PDB file of all heavy atoms in Angstrom:
ATOM      1  N   ASP A  75      84.350 102.106  99.456  1.00 88.00           N
ATOM      2  CA  ASP A  75      84.639 103.448  99.665  1.00 88.00           C
ATOM      3  C   ASP A  75      83.709 104.247  98.761  1.00 88.00           C
ATOM      4  O   ASP A  75      83.528 103.899  97.591  1.00 88.00           O
ATOM      5  CB  ASP A  75      86.124 103.749  99.356  1.00 88.00           C
ATOM      6  CG  ASP A  75      86.567 105.111  99.861  1.00 88.00           C
ATOM      7  OD1 ASP A  75      85.898 105.762 100.720  1.00 88.00           O
ATOM      8  OD2 ASP A  75      87.710 105.565  99.378  1.00 88.00           O
ATOM      9  N   PRO A  85      64.046 117.420  93.975  1.00 87.00           N
ATOM     10  CA  PRO A  85      62.848 117.266  94.796  1.00 87.00           C
ATOM     11  C   PRO A  85      62.242 115.866  94.705  1.00 87.00           C
ATOM     12  O   PRO A  85      62.384 115.177  93.663  1.00 87.00           O
ATOM     13  CB  PRO A  85      61.877 118.238  94.066  1.00 87.00           C
ATOM     14  CG  PRO A  85      62.704 119.184  93.381  1.00 87.00           C
ATOM     15  CD  PRO A  85      63.949 118.423  92.988  1.00 87.00           C
ATOM     16  N   TYR A 104      87.021  96.987  91.573  1.00 91.00           N
ATOM     17  CA  TYR A 104      86.416  97.738  90.413  1.00 91.00           C
ATOM     18  C   TYR A 104      86.330  99.185  90.859  1.00 91.00           C
ATOM     19  O   TYR A 104      85.631  99.455  91.866  1.00 91.00           O
ATOM     20  CB  TYR A 104      85.033  97.259  90.065  1.00 91.00           C
ATOM     21  CG  TYR A 104      85.073  95.830  89.408  1.00 91.00           C
ATOM     22  CD1 TYR A 104      85.259  94.723  90.195  1.00 91.00           C
ATOM     23  CD2 TYR A 104      84.981  95.772  88.032  1.00 91.00           C
ATOM     24  CE1 TYR A 104      85.290  93.434  89.623  1.00 91.00           C
ATOM     25  CE2 TYR A 104      84.939  94.509  87.497  1.00 91.00           C
ATOM     26  CZ  TYR A 104      85.104  93.364  88.274  1.00 91.00           C
ATOM     27  OH  TYR A 104      85.147  92.098  87.668  1.00 91.00           O
ATOM     28  N   THR A 114      65.838 117.969  84.129  1.00 94.00           N
ATOM     29  CA  THR A 114      66.307 119.142  83.215  1.00 94.00           C
ATOM     30  C   THR A 114      67.543 118.851  82.482  1.00 94.00           C
ATOM     31  O   THR A 114      68.001 119.688  81.677  1.00 94.00           O
ATOM     32  CB  THR A 114      66.408 120.382  84.068  1.00 94.00           C
ATOM     33  OG1 THR A 114      67.459 120.231  85.064  1.00 94.00           O
ATOM     34  CG2 THR A 114      65.113 120.757  84.818  1.00 94.00           C
ATOM     35  N   GLY A 115      68.302 117.818  82.930  1.00 95.00           N
ATOM     36  CA  GLY A 115      69.667 117.555  82.356  1.00 95.00           C
ATOM     37  C   GLY A 115      70.765 118.121  83.238  1.00 95.00           C
ATOM     38  O   GLY A 115      71.935 117.837  83.054  1.00 95.00           O
ATOM     39  N   ALA A 116      70.409 118.842  84.307  1.00 96.00           N
ATOM     40  CA  ALA A 116      71.388 119.293  85.204  1.00 96.00           C
ATOM     41  C   ALA A 116      71.985 118.268  86.004  1.00 96.00           C
ATOM     42  O   ALA A 116      71.306 117.322  86.391  1.00 96.00           O
ATOM     43  CB  ALA A 116      70.844 120.415  86.084  1.00 96.00           C
TER      44      ALA A 116
END
Side-chain angles (χ1 to χ4, degrees):
D75 193 16
Y104 291 78
T114 62

